[in-house]
Amino acid sequence: PPLEREGVSQRDEELVLVEDASLFPDNIEVGMSFERVGEDGEEEMIYRITDIADGKVVVDGNHPLAGTALIFDITV
């Protein structure tokens, strides 16, 4: 039978942020990814743009597979 495993990690809703569009370049699009840099200059994490509307940008720091079940069907 197929092996079912939890996705990469649990989805963390605290990693979904709504930011003002003025913080981003004019040419952003849904699906784009960017690194958010911490105050100390070190890479913090990768965020994806998931929505743009009414002067706001929704960004998500969760892995795209977070919270999804993965099913492996392997023949050895």
Side-chain angles (χ1 to χ4, degrees):
L3 171 67
E4 186 171 334
R5 292 207 36 148
E6 175 122 358
V8 176
S9 64
Q10 290 292 329
R11 185 162 175 76
D12 183 351
E13 291 304 319
E14 290 185 15
L15 295 178
V16 179
L17 308 171
V18 178
E19 303 284 359
D20 194 88
S22 66
L23 298 173
F24 297 86
D26 291 336
N27 61 344
I28 60 170
E29 297 177 5
V30 171
M32 291 179 136
S33 297
F34 62 94
E35 291 179 352
R36 185 172 185 171
V37 179
E39 291 179 15
D40 58 1
E42 295 295 320
E43 176 186 331
E44 194 171 297
M45 66 177 28
I46 302 291
Y47 281 84
R48 285 175 301 111
I49 297 174
T50 58
D51 196 14
I52 304 168
D54 300 323
K56 301 291 182 186
V57 178
V58 179
V59 295
D60 189 345
N62 288 289
H63 187 279
L65 297 177
T68 60
L70 303 178
I71 299 175
F72 298 92
D73 189 3
I74 301 172
T75 304
V76 179

